[in-house]
Amino acid sequence: MKKIIIGLGSCGIAAGGLKVKEALQNLAAEADSGIQVSETGCMGMCYAEPMVEILEDGHRTIYGGVDEKRAKEIFQNHALGGKPVADAVALDSDGGGSEQGFLAQQERIVLERCGAIDPESIDDALAMDAYAGLEKALKTMTAEQVVDEVLRAGVKGRGGAGFPTGQKWKFAAGYAAESKYIICNADEGDPGAFMDRSILEGDPHSVIEGMIIGGYAIGAAHGYIYARAEYPIAIRRLKIAIEAAEARGFLGKNILGSGFDFKLVIKEGAGAFVCGEETALIESIEGNRGMPRIRPPFPAERGLFDKPSNINNVETLANIGWILRKGADAFSAYGTEESNGTKVFALAGKVTRGGLVEIPIGMTISEVVNEIGGGTKDNKALKAVQMGGPSGGCIPANMMDTVIDYAPLAATGAIMGSGGMIVMDEDNCMVDIARYFLQFTQSESCGKCTFCKIGTKRMLETLERITQGKGEEGDVEKLETLSHQIKTNALCGLGQTAPNPVLTTIRYFRNEYDAHIRDKKCPTKQCKALISFNIVSDKCVGCTVCAKKCPVDAVSGKAKEVHAIDQGKCTKCGICKSMCKFDAVDIS
Amino acid sequence: MCKDCAQSGKYWDCFEEILEGYSGDKSQLIPLLQKLQDAYGYLPEDIIERLSQRTGIFVSQIMGVATFYSQFRLEPVGENIVKICFGTACHVIGAENIADAICRELGIELGGTTEDRLFTVESVACLGCCSLAPVITINEETHGRLTPDTARAAIRDFKARKAVAV
């Protein structure tokens, strides 16, 4: 029995997966072959979307970069004819295909079922052991034993802070109250990170299972999933999964006959990065402006509606079912001495194979970027890898041997973070990157504490001046002073980490700051105020393409004559350069 | 559901429908505002005032929440919404040039609405499709791996399809 499966996570849909699915459905119907066409979540290989899998008697053949034409070929040759379209195979169960390198070093705990099941089918999930950890916990373990198992597994918070999850549960379990809450932080706000989205889209049951187990462990009968409103597909699949879990008795009253009740509600966020901070998130669920509270009291003592509450990130919770099912020892077989398990990264930017990567903690950055990711695009030189988003930092190319673990990453000035890993090449201006992140944190600062509110504003103004060629001697030192003041005095994690992108770029790329400030030059020719586009007269053949494509009519010249760019009109969008086949547009 | 009601003299019907199940639980403010915005396209002043009367939450508090979260709008928007992703991956691959190209194509600034009310262009922090950067969405459609040129083409193509549909 053959089955055709199309990867329809957000990336797959964005790359045109729905059209491919429709085409395959039509083909299957026309051929009256009885071949089933279904869908799955993110397979992790976003760079090769849309992806199509042919599943036959447990044997998987996965095709990448499938368009409608390719789909037809795959359907006729492989699905009907039984002969794989060899040159398009990305992966197959026998270890063949062009993309084995992407998966070879990965370990899948969190993403075990992502890309392998239809996320809208609880039967698919159950066939791959979903809720088996829950069953074991409820039927054979006390709440204390569950907490101990998670403690022993040593899983740390995957949202970025890295606090041991078992400890957190122990605190919340220790407070007696008539009602308690467990909250899943699915407000993935780091720009450049999509791990949580992919997990929720690809295997929502893993998160639901983790929450029920957590509720049982700390004695909470109510759970909230605080999900980002920008993730409509994730929210839709979560809703479907919750309904299915209720229907099967994994949620609701007297779960699996254990006497434990648990109710789960989705709260849609409304767009505020600071709500990733746990007390701000609580304020938001309560219907208020999402401004962090002063701690203590910590949420474990007084959280949502002033009741003991425990907040875990999506990826952390997605580990829990696996840990209970296979045991703490199996989990701690992965990772380093300090940190057990795996970490999911969203690999993106100037990298050849961008996508979702799950690796055992302890690999080096180079192994992830070069071996799994296939290195930089277009043979450009790697410059830095940004980890941890607006709270993290840029790690330079000569430190790619840094081990991916909480402490070694913190020593570089970056952080493990929630899993954003953005590759930057020689064309990226590090001052501009610092300005970019500061602009983000400044606009997302909630305004409660002065150091964050005003400090980030002053830092942003300084960085803007520098990128506009108006920097002054002493600006870098001013940035450093402000950074340290904000880090020490800000109320919550947003402010305390906001200066990290600036501090790391100063630490590793001071020469770029100096070039902007002293020479009024952007070495990578990215900062628009410091560059101009010009036609190279001995290369221009007068093909008129640039003149036609220029959106502001800044290029003039007759056919077969050398063109010219009117600097007064030019907006430095770069279209002329990208369109020129003769390399006749130069940036100076 | 009821952008049409607004024009057909049933302006308050949707409001009543949304508030029907309200139990007095003030933590429902954000979901209520989300539903109201869904219905009306934005949060009109008179709706906010009546919401305050009905729930007992002060207008100042409602405005505090409505202005805090980027999702809420206090001005009407165009029929179609173009969102330009400014996530890190999109930024390093050229989101700014994409935004320039689209804004120029539509003749508006980022955040603005075209005179014919067909398009509003917004920036978003991250759409989470980082491997397809740079990315935009036009309503529910996602367009990835854009250049300024293909971004312009996407807008033109969308307009053309709309024109055919009408």
Side-chain angles (χ1 to χ4, degrees):
Chain A
M1 180 67 193
K2 278 192 193 114
K3 195 170 167 183
I4 303 179
I5 305 167
I6 298 114
L8 290 180
S10 282
C11 292
I13 292 173
L18 286 172
K19 278 185 195 157
V20 173
K21 185 181 175 189
E22 202 185 315
L24 286 164
Q25 275 173 327
N26 291 339
L27 287 166
E30 275 166 33
D32 198 18
S33 56
I35 295 174
Q36 198 189 338
V37 179
S38 75
E39 62 184 75
T40 186
C42 179
M43 299 186 188
M45 300 162 73
C46 306
Y47 66 97
E49 295 284 4
M51 304 196 76
V52 169
E53 172 179 343
I54 306 275
L55 179 69
E56 188 176 16
D57 303 326
H59 185 276
R60 303 173 72 183
T61 310
I62 299 173
Y63 294 96
V66 181
D67 55 12
E68 287 156 85
K69 193 174 151 223
R70 195 59 123 172
K72 198 171 178 186
E73 198 183 346
I74 293 168
F75 185 81
Q76 274 159 356
N77 294 0
H78 191 169
L80 291 182
K83 271 175 70 183
V85 184
D87 63 323
V89 175
L91 292 169
D92 72 30
S93 304
D94 305 328
S98 56
E99 306 302 319
Q100 286 292 344
F102 184 76
L103 284 182
Q105 299 183 66
Q106 296 196 45
E107 291 292 347
R108 300 211 151 198
I109 292 178
V110 170
L111 302 178
E112 196 183 14
R113 292 186 289 260
C114 276
I117 61 164
D118 176 350
E120 297 182 14
S121 156
I122 193 169
D123 289 315
D124 269 21
L126 288 170
M128 286 187 76
D129 295 328
Y131 300 103
L134 173 71
E135 194 168 349
K136 185 173 161 195
L138 291 183
K139 290 186 171 165
T140 68
M141 297 165 83
T142 64
E144 295 78 39
Q145 283 171 330
V146 173
V147 172
D148 281 344
E149 191 72 7
V150 174
L151 256 179
R152 225 161 48 76
V155 58
K156 294 179 183 174
R158 301 290 195 239
F163 192 80
T165 306
Q167 281 290 350
K168 222 173 177 179
W169 286 15
K170 203 170 179 175
F171 290 142
Y175 289 100
E178 49 190 87
S179 51
K180 295 187 192 180
Y181 298 95
I182 182 160
I183 301 166
C184 169
N185 183 350
D187 191 40
E188 182 171 56
D190 276 13
F194 53 92
M195 304 75 50
D196 295 350
R197 171 180 67 68
S198 301
I199 296 166
L200 293 169
E201 286 178 0
D203 183 17
H205 292 288
S206 65
V207 180
I208 296 170
E209 183 182 8
M211 287 192 77
I212 309 170
I213 295 172
Y216 176 68
I218 69 166
H222 295 274
Y224 283 96
I225 300 179
Y226 186 88
R228 219 173 155 224
E230 286 91 339
Y231 288 173
I233 301 169
I235 291 173
R236 188 170 60 79
R237 290 188 180 156
L238 261 176
K239 283 183 180 159
I240 293 170
I242 289 174
E243 271 176 35
E246 280 169 351
R248 300 294 175 94
F250 297 118
L251 278 171
K253 296 264 179 217
N254 189 21
I255 297 169
L256 301 175
S258 64
F260 174 65
D261 304 337
F262 191 75
K263 191 173 180 331
L264 194 50
V265 175
I266 300 173
K267 278 270 180 180
E268 285 181 41
F273 175 66
V274 69
C275 289
E277 199 280 340
E278 53 184 26
T279 58
L281 188 155
I282 288 172
E283 286 289 330
S284 183
I285 296 182
E286 291 181 1
N288 306 320
R289 289 163 72 93
M291 291 168 128
R293 296 175 180 172
I294 291 170
R295 299 175 299 175
F298 285 89
E301 183 185 352
R302 262 198 356 242
L304 184 60
F305 305 122
D306 282 336
K307 297 285 188 284
S309 306
N310 175 78
I311 298 152
N312 294 123
N313 148 279
V314 168
E315 188 186 334
T316 313
L317 289 164
N319 275 296
I320 300 296
W322 194 99
I323 291 172
L324 269 289
R325 173 159 50 94
K326 300 208 173 181
D329 294 330
F331 186 79
S332 53
Y334 298 99
T336 62
E337 231 163 76
E338 286 77 33
S339 313
N340 295 340
T342 59
K343 178 76 194 84
V344 181
F345 287 97
L347 187 59
K350 307 275 187 78
V351 66
T352 311
R353 296 198 289 236
L356 205 63
V357 170
E358 181 172 1
I359 51 143
I361 295 176
M363 278 177 79
T364 65
I365 302 175
S366 170
E367 284 170 321
V368 174
V369 171
N370 294 320
E371 292 172 29
I372 296 176
T376 49
K377 272 184 194 164
D378 307 326
N379 290 323
K380 299 255 184 185
L382 175 76
K383 186 174 206 173
V385 173
Q386 210 284 343
M387 290 184 69
S391 304
C394 292
I395 302 169
N398 62 8
M399 290 172 70
M400 288 299 106
D401 289 333
T402 305
V403 167
I404 298 174
D405 193 352
Y406 293 87
L409 286 171
T412 68
I415 57 168
M416 176 80 99
S418 63
M421 197 185 266
I422 309 277
V423 177
M424 297 177 187
D425 68 16
E426 54 189 297
D427 290 341
N428 290 117
C429 170
M430 302 317 274
V431 185
D432 173 67
I433 295 296
R435 183 201 57 79
Y436 164 78
F437 280 117
L438 248 288
Q439 185 183 43
F440 179 80
T441 34
Q442 193 274 325
S443 69
E444 294 294 335
S445 172
C446 78
K448 184 165 180 167
C449 70
T450 312
F451 279 92
C452 179
K453 173 172 60 180
I454 302 190
T456 56
K457 178 83 180 159
R458 291 289 97 87
M459 284 183 74
L460 176 61
E461 286 166 356
T462 309
L463 286 162
E464 280 176 341
R465 272 197 295 107
I466 296 174
T467 53
Q468 285 162 5
K470 296 174 189 156
E472 296 160 8
E473 285 296 331
D475 273 349
V476 171
E477 290 70 24
K478 260 186 225 160
L479 285 171
E480 286 175 327
T481 309
L482 271 169
S483 293
H484 293 300
Q485 288 170 342
I486 298 168
K487 277 174 84 84
T488 324
N489 295 299
L491 182 60
C492 82
L494 188 151
Q496 289 159 8
T497 59
N500 287 349
V502 180
L503 287 175
T504 51
T505 46
I506 292 176
R507 182 163 156 191
Y508 301 118
F509 301 96
R510 173 72 189 244
N511 57 335
E512 289 193 30
Y513 280 85
D514 290 343
H516 283 77
I517 295 171
R518 290 184 195 148
D519 312 333
K520 311 297 176 203
K521 282 201 170 121
C522 174
T524 57
K525 299 175 181 172
Q526 288 295 306
C527 294
K528 287 188 178 173
L530 302 177
I531 54 170
S532 64
F533 285 77
N534 301 291
I535 305 281
V536 185
S537 51
D538 54 352
K539 284 187 180 170
C540 177
V541 299
C543 74
T544 74
V545 164
C546 57
K548 281 181 194 146
K549 288 288 179 185
C550 177
V552 290
D553 294 328
V555 191
S556 57
K558 289 178 185 159
K560 295 182 181 166
E561 284 176 20
V562 172
H563 284 44
I565 297 175
D566 179 341
Q567 297 300 333
K569 282 185 184 172
C570 178
T571 60
K572 298 161 190 176
C573 69
I575 290 181
C576 52
K577 186 170 170 62
S578 68
M579 288 290 164
C580 182
K581 287 183 184 140
F582 306 95
D583 199 20
V585 181
D586 185 42
I587 310 175
S588 58
Chain B
M1 54 185 155
C2 68
K3 274 173 198 152
D4 305 330
C5 303
Q7 279 130 27
S8 63
K10 295 183 197 159
Y11 185 71
W12 295 105
D13 288 12
C14 286
F15 178 88
E16 292 304 329
E17 203 179 296
I18 289 165
L19 267 286
E20 208 174 45
Y22 178 67
S23 62
D25 174 3
K26 289 184 182 172
S27 76
Q28 291 304 308
L29 177 59
I30 292 171
L32 282 175
L33 290 175
Q34 285 168 330
K35 284 181 195 157
L36 289 167
Q37 178 161 294
D38 259 359
Y40 294 91
Y42 72 111
L43 298 172
E45 218 175 290
D46 49 2
I47 294 285
I48 290 179
E49 269 168 31
R50 192 170 292 191
L51 179 68
S52 167
Q53 288 160 11
R54 182 66 65 86
T55 58
I57 305 172
F58 293 123
V59 170
S60 58
Q61 280 176 298
I62 298 176
M63 287 301 288
V65 169
T67 52
F68 186 85
Y69 296 98
S70 61
Q71 187 184 25
F72 297 121
R73 305 188 194 98
L74 299 169
E75 300 286 333
V77 282
E79 222 173 281
N80 304 293
I81 303 207
V82 180
K83 290 184 181 170
I84 302 171
C85 181
F86 277 86
T88 317
C90 291
H91 176 77
V92 301
I93 307 182
E96 204 182 318
N97 290 336
I98 304 295
D100 274 358
I102 288 175
C103 288
R104 195 162 288 118
E105 176 67 24
L106 293 171
I108 47 173
E109 304 259 299
L110 196 56
T113 300
T114 53
E115 248 171 52
D116 57 10
R117 298 231 152 267
L118 268 180
F119 289 97
T120 293
V121 179
E122 294 179 342
S123 67
V124 292
C126 185
L127 292 164
C129 296
C130 312
S131 298
L132 300 173
V135 179
I136 64 163
T137 57
I138 309 175
N139 298 339
E140 307 287 304
E141 286 174 23
T142 310
H143 300 261
R145 296 179 184 134
L146 292 170
T147 64
D149 215 41
T150 56
R152 265 193 315 201
I155 298 284
R156 282 178 195 170
D157 173 60
F158 183 86
K159 270 189 183 169
R161 276 185 285 140
K162 277 273 155 180
V164 171
V166 171

